[in-house]
Amino acid sequence: MKETLLSNCERDFLLQAIAEKKRLDGRQTYDYRKMKITFGTDYGCCFVDLGKTRVMAQVSCELVAPKESRPNEGIMFFNIELSPMASPTFEQGRQSELSVKLNRQLERCLRNSKCIDTESLCVVSGEKVWKIRVDVHVLNHDGNLMDVASIAAITALCHFRRPDVSIQGDEVTVYSPEERDPIPLSIYHMPISVSFSFFQQGTYLLVDPCEREERVMDGLLMIIRKNNSSLIEKVKDVKPAPQGA
Amino acid sequence: MSSALRDRTGEVLLPGDEFSFDTDDTISLTGPVKPEKVVCGPGLRRSGDRLLVCKSGVLRHKPPNMFWMDSQQRRYVPAKGETIIGIVTVKSGDVFKVDFGGSEQASLSYLAFEGATKRNRPNVQVGDLVFSQFLLANQDMEPELVCVDSSGRANGMGVFGGGGLLFTVSLGLVRRLLTPHSEILSDLKQLFPCELVMGMNGRLWVKSCSLQQTLVISNLLQSCDTMTAQQRRELFRRVAQGAL
């Protein structure tokens, strides 16, 4: 379904409210919405709520052959699914522009930051490595999907336990959870993204935009940091100026 | 059967509950026997000689013989004669396409405004809000809207909306607001003076003296959807004290 048009009345009201430093739900400029993180029964399953935006992340693993260019490293695979449950504008199966953008940003956030030690995922060099797959499902879209997806993904990775393996000569034994306790992944740090939205050609700035604020914003800046120390990535996304503006 | 229905008025019923003619309903042989008529409203369906409940909710009764299920829903299904708030999305030739939150967009002819002729077109832009009613609303057919009533008068309908805020609530709340002596509305009147347009598709438009008051009213209405009357009065009282 095409995105419903935002009426002129709503757009004018939102911009005027932002100019008067007021947000729809009474937050201040730098306030985040209430965040809630819950875990599912399986290892690696977590739900993150930010206000009304709700996202679920699930981590799974399997043994595969490694990439030829990197025989000693495990493989990480990220995927964000925009479920039609989240918003009437999301269609099942179709790779929309937003979906491609979110996938790319999540990859930059988690892969380039090297938060997971991929060498520890190697079982037999050149033959068998662990492939860790992170699936993020968006259950409800009320703005700021990227922040919530990044939090859900890294939390699920920290929660996840992979099966224990032992190698005796040429034999590799994978133990089930009943035989030996599964072991956690080795994670160096937790990269989290924070989104800033800009209005009126950069005059006003809001953190954690909700869905209606996202519709009237001019551009979005995402900063991905770890542990209050170093900056990992800065992603800028500017919408083209509306015709006739 | 209507006695069985009347007994269960106010109870929560689920789809699958049924009402049938009891075999031990006694019919008097001496006095006159009046056939009883039961009018089924939304949520009740007749199937043979039984009455089936097809939506979960509370059974309501309006004397003399009208029964219906009062259920909570956010997704609007168009019905003839209901007034809604729509957003004009496309302006093409003779018709406007209006989005009202349903599965398809409704069409609104440019002649369906008060005083509109072929020469004198109404001033409607894409993105404007219109308050109109359904002329035609059948399943699987494109719904049609008009901004005049049957006598050709606007009667409050048409384009509106500078300076206010549009937001969505559940359909049940709008119906409660539209009842003749609505408690929520009378509580709201004592709080702030405001202009309120209620669309039966769950959309409300509110405009008050200042932006802050408009925001407060919209947040109040959205939150009192799921509150009991007492909690709501408590909340309104707290806001009144804070505002004054």
Side-chain angles (χ1 to χ4, degrees), chain B residues 1-13 19 44 57-70:
Chain B
M1 194 205 294
S2 68
S3 56
L5 280 167
R6 245 176 267 135
D7 285 339
R8 298 189 76 175
T9 313
E11 270 186 33
V12 174
L13 297 175
F19 296 92
L44 290 172
V58 181
L59 182 65
R60 299 269 185 232
H61 170 54
K62 180 173 158 188
N65 56 1
M66 170 92 93
F67 294 92
W68 74 94
M69 296 301 298
D70 194 5

Side-chain angles (χ1 to χ4, degrees), chain A residues 141-161:
Chain A
H141 174 32
D142 193 30
N144 204 7
L145 286 178
M146 191 52 223
D147 284 6
V148 189
S150 74
I151 293 174
I154 194 63
T155 315
L157 282 167
C158 288
H159 188 239
F160 181 63
R161 305 277 180 272

Side-chain angles (χ1 to χ4, degrees), chain B residues 6-187:
Chain B
R6 245 176 267 135
D7 285 339
R8 298 189 76 175
T9 313
E11 270 186 33
V12 174
L13 297 175
L14 297 174
D17 288 344
E18 63 178 58
F19 296 92
S20 52
F21 284 111
D22 280 331
T23 47
D24 38 292
D25 261 351
T26 51
I27 303 180
S28 144
L29 286 170
T30 46
V33 178
K34 269 197 306 203
E36 30 168 74
K37 205 165 72 150
V38 162
V39 179
C40 304
L44 290 172
R45 194 166 53 91
R46 196 189 110 168
S47 155
D49 59 352
R50 297 176 304 164
L51 200 66
L52 293 175
V53 173
C54 44
K55 266 199 179 168
S56 54
V58 181
L59 182 65
R60 299 269 185 232
H61 170 54
K62 180 173 158 188
N65 56 1
M66 170 92 93
F67 294 92
W68 74 94
M69 296 301 298
D70 194 5
S71 50
Q72 275 290 59
Q73 194 175 310
R74 289 190 76 102
R75 179 59 91 169
Y76 178 65
V77 173
K80 184 173 161 179
E82 291 192 345
T83 47
I84 52 109
I85 297 181
I87 304 175
V88 177
T89 52
V90 175
K91 188 171 156 180
S92 68
D94 289 350
V95 289
F96 304 114
K97 286 266 182 278
V98 175
D99 163 70
F100 58 90
S103 49
E104 23 181 344
Q105 301 192 345
S107 67
L108 171 62
S109 160
Y110 77 97
L111 288 173
F113 289 83
E114 182 174 359
T117 60
K118 286 207 163 82
R119 297 271 178 95
N120 180 19
R121 288 175 180 244
N123 184 16
V124 177
Q125 306 303 323
V126 171
D128 278 349
L129 293 176
V130 281
F131 186 62
S132 49
Q133 72 180 12
F134 279 108
L135 182 67
L136 201 65
N138 295 325
Q139 201 190 24
D140 303 326
M141 263 173 69
E142 190 191 37
E144 266 182 45
L145 288 168
V146 285
C147 279
V148 279
D149 59 12
S150 43
S151 61
R153 303 245 185 95
N155 206 12
M157 295 189 271
V159 180
F160 70 100
L165 176 62
L166 181 77
F167 56 97
T168 40
V169 291
S170 77
L171 305 183
L173 180 67
V174 180
R175 284 199 293 262
R176 269 181 280 159
L177 285 169
L178 284 172
T179 56
H181 302 287
S182 160
E183 282 184 8
I184 311 180
L185 264 189
S186 53
D187 285 344

Side-chain angles (χ1 to χ4, degrees), chain A residues 5 7-9 17 22 24 212, chain B residues 88 126-127 161 164 166 205 212 219:
Chain A
L5 191 68
S7 60
N8 300 339
C9 159
K22 292 195 169 27
L24 284 183
R212 288 216 262 183
Chain B
V88 177
V126 171
L166 181 77
W205 179 88
Q212 176 69 9
N219 278 320

Side-chain angles (χ1 to χ4, degrees), chain A residues 5-52:
Chain A
L5 191 68
L6 194 68
S7 60
N8 300 339
C9 159
E10 282 179 284
R11 184 184 304 270
D12 294 336
F13 187 88
L14 278 167
L15 290 174
Q16 195 192 346
I18 290 166
E20 288 185 26
K21 305 244 186 311
K22 292 195 169 27
R23 295 177 84 163
L24 284 183
D25 43 5
R27 285 187 282 158
Q28 301 296 318
T29 314
Y30 295 108
D31 283 346
Y32 253 79
R33 287 170 283 181
K34 184 163 159 206
M35 181 174 307
K36 192 166 107 158
I37 303 182
T38 43
F39 293 95
T41 45
D42 288 334
Y43 281 126
C45 173
C46 94
F47 292 85
V48 179
D49 287 5
L50 186 66
K52 290 202 190 137

